[in-house]
Each structure stands twice: as structure tokens, then as C-alpha cells.
Amino acid sequence: MTFNPTTRRQWLAAGTALLAAAALPAWAASPAAPATTATATASNTVEVWKDPNCGCCKDWIDHMHQAGFKTVVHDSGNAAVRAKLGLPQNLGSCHTALVGGYLLEGHVPASDVKKLLQEKPKALGLTVPGMPVGSPGMDGPEYGGRKDPYDVLLVTRNLMNSNVSTRVFTSYR
């Protein structure tokens, strides 16, 4: 029987490979850092991806400004970034945003964003699926004061990051 002692270099290489393999799921699940992400790390800066022609997205951004948030806007659409961040299409809306490490999808009220940033739950973020009339950005004069009921959902990853779950964060009736 031959004994082949492992060299220090082999141990270091094996350790490095093990660390890289352990970090891979977290790296793969996180979004690629856009060039402007450094400006969006402050908890009051919201980075937004939207269609360049969407008026309700602009109105939501105005709502966020009125609540004291700063924005960095990408007029490149949001489907790709939403998918990259791991939010299923059925929870989607017309714009996707990041703030304080959390995803915001759709017409989330600024008060709920502030509550999220204060409570810091272990979550992917918040979503208002679809485009409910009466939500911020969908509440202009063209809607005649109409306010449909809607829920803001807290989105969390399931065990092993295989899927997401939601629960009502705030209900607007």
C-alpha cells in the first residue's frame, strides 16, 4: 500500500474550490451589480427599471421622491432584472426596483418601503402584482378617484431558494 501525503498547495487548492462551491448558490441568486448600484446602496436611494414610455412608473417615482427617496432610473424595461432577481412573473408589474438590498415590484407605497427598511425582515422584498387602480402611480386624475382594494405582499424565498412564498404585508381596502 502506497501512502501519498497531500501537499499544502493541494490543501489550499481544495479549500479554495470548496469555498467557491459553497458561495456559488448565493452568487447565482443575487443580481449582477448594475454600474450604478454603488449609488443605490444608501437606504433612501431606489434603483428602478421601467419601460421608457410608462407614465404610471414615472408617477410612482414621483411618489417616492415626495416621500424623501432618491432614484436612479433605467429606461430599459424590467422583465430581465425581475427574472434575475428571482421574482416569478405572476408577481410582476410594470417596474422593478431595488432599495436597501430589497426588491420592490410595482406600485408599492412609500410608507410600506419605509416600514420594510425599518423592520428588515429576511425577505426578497415587496410586490404589488398587476397595476391596481388607487395604488401610488395608479391614482392620477384620469382614474376619477377610483380606489380598488389591493395587497402589498412580502416575498420570501422557500427552503433551498427553489421558489418563493408570499404573505400580506399591508392590505389596502
Side-chain angles (χ1 to χ4, degrees):
M1 176 176 209
T2 308
F3 177 70
N4 186 6
T6 305
T7 66
R8 180 174 178 201
R9 180 172 286 169
Q10 289 170 323
W11 276 109
L12 288 173
T16 301
L18 184 61
L19 286 173
L24 187 60
W27 175 79
S30 65
T36 56
T37 297
T39 62
T41 56
S43 64
N44 71 334
T45 301
V46 181
E47 190 164 12
V48 184
W49 288 264
K50 67 175 198 64
D51 182 280
N53 301 311
C54 186
C56 67
C57 294
K58 182 189 172 309
D59 292 345
W60 180 80
I61 291 167
D62 290 344
H63 165 76
M64 297 302 285
H65 288 163
Q66 290 170 4
F69 289 94
K70 298 175 186 149
T71 59
V72 175
V73 179
H74 305 279
D75 284 327
S76 58
N78 70 322
V81 74
R82 180 190 320 125
K84 187 167 199 130
L85 293 171
L87 188 71
Q89 188 171 346
N90 67 320
L91 296 175
S93 187
C94 57
H95 56 269
T96 303
L98 286 174
V99 62
Y102 290 103
L103 169 132
L104 303 174
E105 182 70 22
H107 297 271
V108 178
S111 58
D112 289 317
V113 176
K114 289 178 179 181
K115 179 179 168 185
L116 175 76
L117 294 173
Q118 182 180 11
E119 292 180 1
K120 296 183 184 350
K122 185 175 180 181
L124 185 62
L126 298 175
T127 183
V128 174
M131 299 167 66
V133 174
S135 61
M138 294 292 296
D139 55 353
E142 61 271 25
Y143 301 104
R146 182 175 137 199
K147 291 186 184 263
D148 294 347
Y150 68 95
D151 293 326
V152 177
L153 304 176
L154 181 70
V155 182
T156 57
R157 291 198 187 277
N158 289 344
L159 188 63
M160 305 298 290
N161 291 332
S162 62
N163 205 346
V164 298
S165 296
T166 62
R167 70 169 176 81
V168 174
F169 188 74
T170 309
S171 191
Y172 292 90
R173 300 285 175 246

